[in-house]
Amino acid sequence: MQPKPSTSDTTPSGRPRRITNRAIGDVATFVESTEEGGGKRLVIEIKLAPRGGNAMRIHLTQTESFKVLAGELRVSIRDQNRTLAVGEAATVPPGTRHLFFPASAMPTPFLATVLDPGRLEDALRTRSCDAGAGGVQRRGVPRPPRGRLLATQG
């Protein structure tokens, strides 16, 4: 089921829908916040900057799906590399190592749907704020010790 896109600049609790990781240039728009998904789903439109993306990660309890909206997205799931084209999707089961990044030098928008998101939205918002303050490493990974805390929350 596709979420109904919101026309508001804020979530029902007043949080901004759009955040930017200024360290790498990625932009995330919360199409359906955790609150709007009843705590069961989080939907984010992510626009990766040409050198954007993330470091290898594992979500212990969340299922995460990616659907490419434009361009091509490289994904690595369980060390299996794939390039997804427009309209193609991939799903990452809980407890699975994965990462994603643009396949070209063009910005790459895609839709990420996270089931049972827990506090992942909060972790993403915190990481975005930290990026503006120089609190992240390459690929937007938080600097310790906060990085250890966020890894347990998302």
Side-chain angles (χ1 to χ4, degrees):
M1 178 167 82
Q2 286 286 7
K4 182 180 177 185
S6 174
T7 57
S8 172
D9 289 339
T10 59
T11 65
S13 60
R15 298 168 87 180
R17 285 213 181 266
R18 178 174 285 176
I19 59 173
T20 301
N21 182 323
R22 290 178 281 184
I24 56 178
D26 294 346
V27 178
T29 302
F30 295 96
V31 176
E32 181 180 271
S33 67
T34 304
E35 173 187 10
E36 292 166 311
K40 298 179 187 290
R41 182 171 76 173
L42 171 66
V43 181
I44 313 164
E45 182 177 326
I46 300 172
K47 185 176 183 182
L48 295 179
R51 293 187 165 285
N54 65 5
M56 190 64 74
R57 64 189 56 227
I58 296 174
H59 302 297
L60 298 178
T61 60
Q62 293 93 358
T63 298
E64 187 173 20
S65 299
F66 311 108
K67 182 177 181 183
V68 179
L69 301 175
E72 292 182 323
L73 180 69
R74 292 279 297 158
V75 296
S76 178
I77 302 170
R78 287 190 196 104
D79 298 322
Q80 298 290 318
N81 298 316
R82 294 177 53 195
T83 300
L84 304 176
V86 175
E88 293 184 323
T91 298
V92 181
T96 304
R97 290 171 38 98
H98 66 285
L99 64 81
F100 54 82
F101 55 92
S104 72
M106 300 297 295
T108 306
F110 68 96
L111 205 60
T113 301
V114 182
L115 302 179
D116 297 318
R119 299 196 54 205
L120 181 62
E121 179 179 347
D122 294 332
L124 293 171
R125 289 177 182 281
T126 299
R127 184 179 316 159
S128 175
C129 290
D130 287 350
V136 294
Q137 302 172 33
R138 193 173 84 88
R139 290 234 184 254
V141 176
R143 294 188 189 282
R146 179 174 270 164
R148 290 190 296 274
L149 173 64
L150 290 179
T152 64
Q153 295 178 354

